[in-house]
Every structure is written in structure tokens, then in C-alpha cells.
């Protein structure tokens, strides 16, 4: 039985866990990162790669702004190119009503320092001739873009390791407890003792709530993705649409990655898979926005396992039952862009007891009222 | 320079109606029952450019497995040349030859 | 209600399976991507390009005729749907694409008979125009009556090599050389085992004699090959067992090194697989009677285990009998017994063939960093090795995530096994430990159209 004693133990080697590990280590703490498989092999490694602020819930804007400042420097932080490209994110409106929605959102966003460029349908077409003529207007976030998810989190884990984090892969945490003065975390042939514990176990985080007598309405989300054959680069922006369940982007090599709608997944067997019916249903939605997509061939497809919460906002913050326990999970399908910021926020929470970025909206207790109401209703 | 001499050679002369299709805007005589890959490679040595570097491709497996023979047709379809049969008037675009019948940058 | 039985693949295995099931009155659905029945081996020329069976199939003409006739006789007792790509399988239903239209075919029982594909080992020059697989060279001749070049060099490590060579020679092609990368001695040693099926041994011998009669330069134990040419093939260099290099002029090369099951559909259906040390490749795990690890899914022909056309006919029937048995439908058990006995002989033959054509690991050891391994994405051997050094990727799916190997149009069908070889070689892990690329739909590209 190996024993390890550190300041902070982190469960989960996704982008959240790895970014936190690097930030904490840089802040001078000793860190062990425990990952049941490989770092960045779950949601963080297979997502759509969208690095987008536009369209986020208002409570997420401070955090997404913080992340947006980190992404352009990430290759320096990590010491390698992770294919972050600030191509811009274009949100399309199909009706005047949607145009109004974009305008309202732009006002809110500006209050948080996110400037969105609003364009009429005609101007949108002039700027981006490949967009369908039926578009009523658009909103462009020039700072947004995409990165290669297959590279980002593994690069984080390597950087963390080279800074001295104990990155322990193939190390499934089987049990964790608070002894009154520290945590004891058990994995096969290993016990880690730590002052602090971070629950960044993604879709599997519920298990670690139960160890500490906590609960949250965490469910499984399995976004559906597929990619086309490579064609000449023409679509210079990442695309989303108001009220539409489709999003897509073209990479420099020419492939178009498309997503939206549910895939299939199973937490126990750790398997996930693209759903053919969802994929087929997306064809019309995507072609309606960018007609040139018609006729391109789909060559691959996949899905992934992600934690979901009823209000589509994450849980980030201190546990209510256990001192020195911090949660950061349930990113509801849009945590890739936030990852670098959440890493720093977790570091501040542990080092300073509070974060510079407002995170109150993400506290775990917000579901208590709901739970109580439900119980009352049932009683 | 990729030459315009044929890659494939007919060993068995056979009956079958003669048709004309175009390959990169040039008329090419083919026989009914020819696959696009046959039609093209009876007249030149490659059927497409490689997207990620120098060089050309001429298909590989001829059984719809390797996916190395995708070409565009005039009607906008993209098809595998090794399992698509020629039709009269078909316009095959390999992207190898420009309008003057020359290949660029090689 | 009758159970809905779907067969994927109308090659020798699928056709014989359909025959048994149709005989029991079950009207199976037969789906095949090709426009005509016969599979790869008994592939028919398209309408307008018909020629007589002997020119097409040579020594195999009789069998080809039988198979085509057998399927023809089934008529309306099977629901045959040619030109239908099956691109996904999940929850007892198949996604199909027919003439650009999407469809769904549900099933109660699925019999997968999707055949095999050439086993590829990259060598310098293998992506040049003019290099094809041996299977491809054969199809050019059978389905189109064309030779892949004016002067053709043939390279291989399996019984397909002398067969294609003799078919090309009979058809009047100029064969520059027939190069076997496995030693001649291995064949001599395996001869006894091959006698398990005497007609097979006889046929093999007559092929070799034919090559001799035509006076084609033939070599065994070829240690290295290298195709030359800037934009297309202009020659071939090869090194013999004694270390001497030889050079031949040719404008086409056909090369492949045995066969590999097309098991993408079985994979998506959830069938378990195992690493077969003898042939150094992954195969679906087979239970008695051609059953897979998934109830309701049966495997036959080369997609279950490489056995050749004769075995495919037998395993096709056998899987169909298993379907009948599992549905509680009676049949003449004698015939099944006969099949099992013949198959046992073929198993001995297959063992001998595997020994006669051992996997040419020397071609893998010879791969240099500059060699392109993934022809779709243009990933080199050196990139794979460097990625391992940087990332310690323990398995081939992780290596794919980092390097794009196997991410292109073919989905790793061509290069996946070779990426595993490179990773195992670099990391020191065993081949079964580095695993294989996970299957994803679509099995082949599907168009995004409304
Ligand atoms: C298909 C898909 C597309 C997406 N597209 C986008 C996008 O375009 N833009 C965007 O911003 N976001 C996107 N997301 C969301 C984003 O990927 C996630 O929000 C983010 O990666 C979550 O990070 P994580 O670290 O919480 O989770 P994960 O990456 O899942 O990490 C959790 C880790 O915990 C480990 N773990 C679990 N249990 C244990 C245990 N017992 N012991 C040890 N380790 C354990 C897991 O193995 C895993 O590695 C997408 C998600 C998916 C699935
Ligand atoms: S040549 Fe391989 S798919 Fe056409």
C-alpha cells in the first residue's frame, strides 16, 4: 500500500481537475491528481472544442470573461500549441424575434465587457456569403473561437506533472472521507492524505457527494457530435443559431464538426455513442443555415459523458457538509471554455477561502429549496 | 509532373455501348459498364489530389473500402470512383487538371 | 409472426445463408452495398460489361457459376436489396443508405457476412498512383477487364498472390515479378497440413506451375520493398534474403499481405473480439455454430475469421442453421454434421496456410520515420513514434486522439492495425495491450443531404 500526503487531492483529470492542479501547484501547494483512466479522455477530450462566451447565462459571464483572457495565452502556460484559433463565433437569428433576442443579450453582455457585433441579415450575407439568405441577423463575438479538445487537457496534465503535481492516472478513487483533520482518499493500493479535496469527477461526481452526505440533482448528458470529410476551408466562423439545437465549425484542415441533440451513453460501462437518428435530424438544421454543407459526407461520429443539472449551470464552490471540500462539476455541456478559469477559481477558493470571480450562483445549496419543495409537495 | 498517359489498360475487349463523359472538361470515350475509376485511369494516372500534401491518388482498393477515390460530379454529388458506374454526359472533376489541361504546382 | 432475419453481405457466405433460411420459408432480407450478388470474390461485371465466366474467374469459374445460380434460384423467397450500404447497427436496427436515401431496417436476428479486406502493410511509395491492393488488382480484371498497369509487379504474403498472378497472366497482362515476402521453406513445411483439403493443395500447386510456365520472375523471402517514382510508379526495388537489392521497371504495383475481417458492423452490434496471436490480428469472438457474443447476432464468412470462399459457403450455411435452431425451427441435422466435418478439415488447412504465409514482421521493423502510415490523413510513422515519446499514449485510441491516425475517411480500416504495430514497437507493450481502434458509425461516409 502506497501512501501519499499532500495539501490538495483532486478527483478527476478532466480540464477542471487538471487546470486546478496546475494553478494550485503554481501557488506553491503540493497536489495529487487522481484520475481513474487517462487525463482528458472523457468530456474534456471529446467535446466539440467550442471556446465560446457568447450565449452564456448571465451568471456565467464573469467566469467566461476570465477564461477568455486565459485562452489566448494558453499555449504559453502549457508550453505547446493546442490549436486555439480565435476565429470568432457567429450566432444567427432566423426571425425578427430572434434578432431582438440577440440585441437584448448584447446589452447584458456589454455590461460584463463582452462586446458583440450585431449585423442585419444583409450585412451578415455581405460579410459571410456562405450564410443562407434567409438569415434575419447575426451577432458576432470576435474573441471566441475553438481549440482542439484532444490536445488541451492532456497538455494541462503534462504541464501539471512537470510542475510537480502527482498526476496519478489509472487510479480510480473508491472511497474518500474527512477524518476531522484531513481527508483520506482510497484507490487500489494507494491512500492519499490531504488537507483539501476537490471533487472534479465530471459525470461521476455524484458518487463523491454521497460519501459526504450531500446530494445534487445530477444527471447524465450525452451531446451528439459528428464530423464531415475535409473540404476547402470556407466557413471562417464558428456557428450557432438562436433557439436552434445545432452548432458547427470548420477546422483549418477542412473538416466540419457538427453537434446538437442527444447521443447515447451509460455511466457504469463508461460507454457513449452517437445516435444516428439525432445525427440525421441535424442535416436539415445545419443546411438551412449554411447551404454549402449540403452533400458533404459524414465520416465519423461520437458522443461523451457529461454531468447535467436542471438549471444548466454548474456546481462550483464549497461543500455544505464538509470543511475543505470543494466541488466543481456538472458543467452541462459547456465547460470546456470555462475550464482554465475554473482551475484558477478553485485555487483561490482553497488558498484564499474566496474567489475573485463571483460564483454564488453555482453553489450546491441552490437545489435545497427545490428539494424541500418537492418533499413538501410529496408529503 | 503527373502524366496524362493511362494507368489502366484494357485486357479484354468487350462489347458494350460507347459513351462520352467529361473528365476535367475533356471529352473521354468510355464503355457502358465502366466504373468511373476505370474511365479516368484509362486516360490518366490519377483521380484526385491528396488534400494534405503534395501528390496525387489513384484509388487503392477498388472495393469501396479505402475511401481513396472520392471525386466530384458536375451535378454536385461526391462519389467513390470505384463503385460508381459511368452515365452518359457525366462530368467528373478530379481537380488535377485545370481548364487548359495543365496541372499546377507540380 | 415470422422472425425478421437480416443478412448483411451477398457474398458466398451470405448467399448460402439466405438459401438455408429461404428454404425454411423465412424470407430473409439480404442487404449488400454492391449492385450485384457474388461478393468480392465472385464479383460480377456491371451490366454492359458482361464477359464469360471462365475469362473472369479462371479456375474458380465453376464455383462462381454455382453461387450466382444458387442466388438466382431464390428469386422472391429472399428480399434482396442491392446497392444498399449498411452504415450503423444499434438496438436491433440497421441504418441503411440506398440511392442517396436514408432508411432503417429492424431485425430479430442479424447475420453478418461482410467479408474481408486486404491486409495492408505500408512501404515506401505505397501512396503513389499506380499502387493498389492485390484484391483491387483482381477486381480491376474481374469487374472491368482492365489491368492496373502496362507492366505490373505483384507482392504478397498469402494465397491471393499466386491466384492474382495467374489470373493476370491468363488474361495476357505483362507481369514484371511476383514477390512473396514469406519464405518458400515455410510452404514446404506446411504442405502436409494443406493436404487436409487435397483439392486445395492441388489447385495451389497448379497455380505455381502456371507461374513457372509463363516464366515470370518469382522470388520468396523478400525482405524489403520500395516503390520508386516522383508522381506515380516508375519502378520497384526489392531486397532478397541474401541482402541484395534488385530493381525492376514497372508502372503498377499490387501489394497486400493476407486478409483482415471487415468487422466494423459486428463491432457496432457489440460483438466481443479477441486478439488472435496466430494471425496477429483482432477477430470477433465466435461461439458454437457461428454465434457471436451478442444473442441475435451471427457471423459467417471472412468477417468471422479468414477462411476463403469455400469456408464462407459452409459457415454461411452453418450460421443459418444456428438461426433456425435458436428459433426452434427443425432442419436436417445430417447436413449440419457434414458441414462441421468439412469445416474441421478446412481448419487444419487454414492452420497450414497461416504457417505457410507467416506474418511478415520484418516489413514492420523496416518502417522508417518518414513513411506515411495513415494515407487518409497523411500521418507518418515518425509522428506516431514521436507522439508516444511525448505523451506515453498507452493505447491506439489515445494515439489516434493525438495524431489523427485512423481519423480519415476510411476510419482506420487501412492503417489501424499498423498504428497498433508502431505503438507496440515503440512502447514495448504487447499488441493486445495497445488494443484496436473502436468502431464508430458511419461505417462508410454518408452524405449530408435533406
Ligand atoms: C460531446 C460533448 C461536446 C461538448 N462541446 C463543448 C464545447 O464545444 N464547448 C464547451 O465549452 N464545452 C463543451 N462540452 C462540455 C465540456 O467538455 C465539459 O463541460 C468539460 O470538459 C467538463 O470537464 P470536467 O473536468 O468536469 O469533466 P471530465 O472531462 O469528464 O473529467 C472528469 C474526470 O473524472 C474522472 N473520474 C470520475 N470518477 C473517478 C474516480 N472514481 N476516480 C478517479 N477519477 C474519476 C473521469 O475519468 C474524468 O476524466 C462538451 C461536452 C461533450 C460531452
Ligand atoms: S479505391 Fe478504395 S474506396 Fe475506391
Amino acid at each position: 500500500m502506497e501512501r501519499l500526503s499532500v495539501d490538495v487531492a483532486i478527483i478527476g483529470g478532466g480540464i477542471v481537475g487538471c487546470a486546478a492542479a496546475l494553478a494550485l501547484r503554481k501557488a506553491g501547494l503540493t497536489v495529487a491528481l487522481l484520475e481513474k483512466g487517462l487525463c482528458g479522455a472523457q468530456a474534456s477530450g471529446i467535446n466539440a472544442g467550442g471556446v465560446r462566451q457568447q450565449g452564456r447565462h448571465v451568471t456565467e459571464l464573469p467566469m467566461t470573461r476570465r477564461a477568455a483572457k486565459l485562452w489566448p495565452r494558453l499555449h504559453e502556460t502549457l508550453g505547446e500549441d493546442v490549436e486555439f484559433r480565435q476565429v470568432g463565433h457567429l450566432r444567427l437569428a432566423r426571425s425578427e424575434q430572434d434578432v431582438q433576442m440577440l440585441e437584448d443579450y448584447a446589452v447584458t453582455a456589454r455590461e460584463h465587457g463582452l462586446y458583440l457585433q450585431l449585423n442585419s441579415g444583409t450585412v451578415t450575407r455581405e460579410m459571410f456569403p456562405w450564410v443562407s439568405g434567409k438569415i434575419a441577423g447575426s451577432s458576432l463575438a470576435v474573441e471566441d473561437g475553438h481549440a482542439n479538445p484532444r490536445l488541451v487537457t492532456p497538455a494541462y496534465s503534462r504541464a501539471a506533472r512537470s510542475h510537480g503535481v502527482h498526476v496519478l492516472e489509472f487510479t480510480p478513487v473508491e472511497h474518500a472521507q474527512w477524518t476531522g483533520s484531513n481527508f483520506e482518499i482510497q484507490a487500489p493500493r494507494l491512500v492519499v492524505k490531504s488537507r483539501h479535496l476537490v471533487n472534479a469527477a465530471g459525470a461521476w461526481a455524484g458518487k463523491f457527494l454521497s460519501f459526504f452526505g450531500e446530494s445534487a440533482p445530477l444527471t447524465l448528458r450525452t451531446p451528439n457530435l459528428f464530423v464531415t470529410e475535409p473540404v476547402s476551408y470556407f466557413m471562417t466562423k464558428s456557428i450557432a443559431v438562436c433557439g436552434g439545437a445545432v452548432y458547427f465549425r470548420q477546422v483549418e484542415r477542412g473538416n466540419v464538426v457538427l453537434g446538437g441533440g442527444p447521443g447515447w451513453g451509460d455511466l457504469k460501462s463508461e460507454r457513449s455513442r452517437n445516435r444516428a437518428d439525432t445525427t440525421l435530424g441535424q442535416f436539415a438544421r445545419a443546411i438551412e443555415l449554411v447551404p454549402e454543407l449540403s452533400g458533404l459526407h459524414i465520416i465519423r461520429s461520437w458522443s461523451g459523458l457529461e454531468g447535467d443539472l436542471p438549471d444548466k449551470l454548474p456546481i462550483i464552490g464549497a461543500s455544505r457538509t464538509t470543511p475543505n471540500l470543494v466541488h466543481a462539476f456538472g458543467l452541462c455541456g459547456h465547460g470546456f471554455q470555462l475550464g482554465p478559469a475554473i482551475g484558477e477559481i478553485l485555487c483561490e477558493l482553497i488558498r484564499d477561502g474566496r474567489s475573485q470571480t463571483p460564483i454564488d450562483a453555482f453553489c450546491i445549496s441552490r437545489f435545497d429549496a427545490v428539494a424541500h419543495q418537492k418533499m413538501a409537495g410529496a408529503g | 509532373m503527373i502524366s496524362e498517359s493511362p494507368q489502366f489498360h484494357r485486357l479484354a475487349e468487350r462489347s458494350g455501348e460507347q459513351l462520352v463523359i467529361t473528365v476535367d472538361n475533356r471529352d473521354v470515350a468510355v464503355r457502358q459498364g465502366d466504373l468511373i475509376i476505370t474511365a479516368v485511369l484509362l486516360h490518366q494516372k490519377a483521380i484526385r489530389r491528396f488534400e494534405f500534401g503534395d501528390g496525387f491518388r489513384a484509388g487503392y482498393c477498388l472495393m469501396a473500402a479505402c475511401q481513396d477515390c472520392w471525386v466530384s460530379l458536375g451535378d454536385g454529388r461526391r462519389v467513390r470512383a470505384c463503385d460508381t458506374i459511368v452515365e452518359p454526359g457525366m462530368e467528373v472533376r478530379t481537380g488535377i487538371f485545370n481548364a487548359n489541361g495543365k496541372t499546377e504546382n507540380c | 409472426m415470422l422472425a425478421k432475419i437480416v443478412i448483411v453481405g451477398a457474398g458466398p457466405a451470405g448467399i448460402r445463408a439466405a438459401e438455408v433460411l429461404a428454404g425454411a420459408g423465412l424470407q430473409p432480407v439480404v442487404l449488400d452495398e454492391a449492385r450485384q450478388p457474388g461478393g468480392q470474390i465472385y464479383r460480377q461485371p456491371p451490366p454492359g460489361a458482361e464477359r464469360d465466366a471462365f475469362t473472369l474467374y479462371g479456375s474458380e469459374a465453376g464455383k462462381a457459376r454455382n453461387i450466382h445460380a444458387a442466388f438466382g434460384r431464390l428469386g422472391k423467397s429472399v428480399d434482396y436489396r442491392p446497392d444498399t450500404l449498411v452504415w450503423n447497427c444499434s438496438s436491433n436496427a440497421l441504418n441503411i443508405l440506398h440511392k442517396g436515401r436514408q432508411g432503417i431496417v429492424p431485425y430479430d436476428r442479424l447475420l453478418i457476412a461482410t467479408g474481408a479486406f486486404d491486409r495492408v502493410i505500408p512501404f515506401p511509395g505505397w501512396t503513389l498512383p499506380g499502387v493498389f491492393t492485390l484484391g483491387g488488382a483482381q477486381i480491376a480484371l474481374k469487374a472491368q477487364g482492365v489491368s492496373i498497369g502496362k507492366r505490373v509487379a505483384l507482392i504478397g504474403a498469402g494465397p491471393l498472390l499466386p491466384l492474382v498472378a495467374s489470373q493476370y497472366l491468363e488474361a495476357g497482362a505483362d507481369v514484371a515479378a511476383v514477390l512473396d515476402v514469406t519464405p518458400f521453406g515455410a510452404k514446404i513445411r506446411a504442405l502436409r497440413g494443406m493436404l487436409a483439403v487435397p483439392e486445395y493443395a492441388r489447385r495451389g500447386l497448379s497455380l505455381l506451375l502456371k507461374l513457372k510456365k509463363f516464366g515470370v520472375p518469382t522470388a520468396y523471402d523478400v525482405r524489403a520493398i520500395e516503390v520508386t517514382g516522383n508522381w506515380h510508379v516508375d519502378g520497384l526495388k526489392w531486397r532478397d534474403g541474401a541482402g541484395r537489392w534488385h530493381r525492376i521497371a514497372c508502372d503498377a504495383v499490387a501489394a497486400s499481405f493476407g486478409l483482415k475481417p471487415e468487422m466494423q458492423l459486428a463491432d457496432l452490434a457489440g460483438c466481443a473480439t479477441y486478439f488472435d496471436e496466430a494471425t496477429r490480428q483482432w477477430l470477433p469472438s465466435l461461439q458454437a455454430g457461428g454465434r457471436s457474443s451478442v444473442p441475435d447476432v451471427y457471423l459467417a464468412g471472412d468477417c468471422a475469421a479468414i477462411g476463403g470462399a469455400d469456408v464462407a459457403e459452409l459457415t454461411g450455411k452453418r450460421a443459418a442453421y444456428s438461426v433456425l435452431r435458436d428459433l426452434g425451427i427443425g432442419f436436417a441435422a445430417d447436413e449440419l454434421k457434414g458441414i462441421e466435418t468439412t469445416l474441421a478439415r478446412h481448419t487444419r488447412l487454414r492452420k497450414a496456410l497461416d504457417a505457410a504465409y507467416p506474418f511478415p514482421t520484418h516489413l514492420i521493423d523496416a518502417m522508417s520515420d518518414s513513411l506515411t502510415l495513415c494515407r487518409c490523413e497523411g500521418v507518418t510513422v515518425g509522428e506516431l513514434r514521436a507522439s508516444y515519446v511525448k505523451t506515453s499514449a498507452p493505447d491506439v485510441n489515445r494515439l489516434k486522439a493525438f495524431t489523427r491516425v485512423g481519423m480519415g475517411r476510411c476510419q482506420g480500416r487501412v492503417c489501424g492495425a499498423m498504428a497498433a504495430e508502431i505503438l507496440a514497437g515503440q512502447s514495448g507493450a504487447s499488441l493486445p495491450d495497445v488494443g484496436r481502434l473502436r468502431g464508430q458509425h458511419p461505417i462508410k461516409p454518408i452524405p449530408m443531404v435533406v
Side-chain angles (χ1 to χ4, degrees), chain A residues 276-338:
Chain A
D277 55 344
T278 304
T279 295
L280 293 172
Q282 294 295 51
F283 290 2
R285 293 197 183 95
I287 292 168
E288 185 200 358
L289 304 175
V290 177
E292 270 183 69
L293 293 173
S294 181
L296 293 191
H297 280 74
I298 306 303
I299 62 172
R300 282 186 292 124
S301 71
W302 67 98
S303 181
L305 306 172
E306 161 86 319
D308 206 32
L309 289 162
D311 56 7
K312 308 301 164 202
L313 293 173
I315 287 176
I316 302 173
S319 156
R320 294 195 315 129
T321 60
T322 313
N324 292 6
L325 171 62
V326 183
H327 300 299
F329 62 84
L331 286 131
C332 306
H334 51 255
F336 182 57
Q337 190 270 351
L338 301 175

Side-chain angles (χ1 to χ4, degrees), chain C residues 39 67 102 202 287 295 300 306 341 366 375 379:
Chain C
I67 279 284
Q102 294 290 344
R202 224 177 1 255
Q287 334 239 326
I306 304 301
T341 318
R375 63 187 286 133
V379 181

Side-chain angles (χ1 to χ4, degrees), chain A residues 53 58-59 61-62 65 69 107-115:
Chain A
Q53 308 167 75
V58 58
T59 55
L61 284 173
R65 293 295 299 142
K69 296 198 175 76
V107 173
T108 314
R110 191 167 312 137
E111 284 162 15
H112 289 87
L114 172 61
Y115 291 90

Side-chain angles (χ1 to χ4, degrees), chain A residues 12 14-16 35-36 43-44 47-48 50 173 208 306 331 333 335-337:
Chain A
I15 189 165
V16 171
E35 164 55 51
K36 64 181 166 50
S44 301
N47 62 60
V173 174
F208 302 100
E306 161 86 319
L331 286 131
F336 182 57
Q337 190 270 351

Side-chain angles (χ1 to χ4, degrees), chain C residues 100-390:
Chain C
R101 294 182 74 104
Q102 294 290 344
I104 292 176
V105 178
Y107 63 82
D108 296 314
R109 310 267 160 174
L110 175 65
L111 200 155
I112 303 178
T114 42
F117 172 53
D118 293 78
R119 197 170 186 191
V120 173
I121 303 178
F123 46 80
W126 76 293
T127 57
L128 283 176
V131 180
F132 298 91
T133 59
L134 276 176
Q138 193 187 40
I139 284 171
L141 186 60
K142 276 194 304 207
Q144 298 278 274
V146 299
S147 152
I148 56 164
K150 204 165 190 61
R151 198 171 144 73
V152 183
L154 304 171
I155 305 169
L160 194 58
L161 177 65
L163 179 62
V164 173
S166 81
Q167 288 169 330
Y168 262 63
L169 290 165
E170 296 273 15
D174 181 0
V175 177
V178 178
L179 306 177
D180 186 332
V181 298
T182 66
F184 190 71
K187 282 139 201 97
I188 303 287
R189 285 191 294 279
L191 202 58
R192 251 179 70 103
M194 287 193 229
L195 289 173
V197 184
E199 46 309 356
Y200 189 95
R202 224 177 1 255
R203 247 186 293 152
L205 208 61
S206 83
L207 286 181
L208 295 187
L209 290 175
K210 188 169 295 162
L211 299 192
K212 218 177 174 99
K213 188 187 98 193
F214 275 98
V216 197
T218 304
Y220 292 89
D221 198 21
V222 168
R223 307 305 295 170
I225 40 190
E226 208 178 306
V227 171
T228 58
N230 285 328
W231 300 106
H232 54 82
V233 178
D234 67 15
L236 177 74
K237 289 191 335 192
W238 60 277
R239 186 156 51 86
D240 64 23
R244 274 188 306 267
W245 280 96
H246 304 255
R247 186 184 280 276
I248 25 185
C250 58
D251 66 348
V253 171
S256 44
F257 306 88
L259 293 170
K260 167 173 157 298
E262 275 284 280
M263 52 183 199
Q264 295 82 3
L265 192 60
D267 204 1
L268 290 176
C271 300
T273 57
Y274 74 100
F275 187 78
D276 180 50
E277 295 285 348
T279 57
R280 214 177 162 92
Q281 64 185 343
W282 293 87
L283 299 175
S285 310
L286 271 195
Q287 334 239 326
R291 293 171 180 87
S292 78
S293 65
V294 178
D296 311 342
V297 179
Y298 304 76
L299 304 165
D302 275 355
C303 80
I306 304 301
D310 300 351
V311 170
E313 290 190 41
L314 295 167
T315 54
K317 282 189 197 170
R318 181 180 67 178
Y321 284 125
S322 296
V323 173
L324 294 183
R325 172 158 294 161
D326 295 350
L327 288 173
I329 298 173
F331 57 87
D334 290 359
E335 202 190 350
L336 184 56
K337 244 207 179 110
I339 290 173
E340 295 286 5
T341 318
T342 321
L343 277 175
R345 283 198 293 133
H346 276 280
T347 305
R348 268 178 286 150
L349 167 67
R350 184 46 50 179
K351 276 213 172 96
L353 280 172
D354 290 343
Y357 295 101
F359 183 78
T361 46
H362 57 279
L363 295 183
I364 304 229
D365 299 338
M367 288 184 189
S368 69
D369 282 351
S370 61
L371 182 66
T372 295
L373 189 117
C374 169
R375 63 187 286 133
C376 296
E377 294 289 318
V379 181
T380 65
V381 169
E383 286 172 65
L384 298 186
R385 289 179 179 149
S387 177
Y388 175 77
V389 169
K390 175 175 163 188

Side-chain angles (χ1 to χ4, degrees), chain C residues 4-17:
Chain C
K4 178 148 182 176
I5 306 173
V6 177
I7 300 172
V8 183
I15 288 177
R16 290 303 181 195

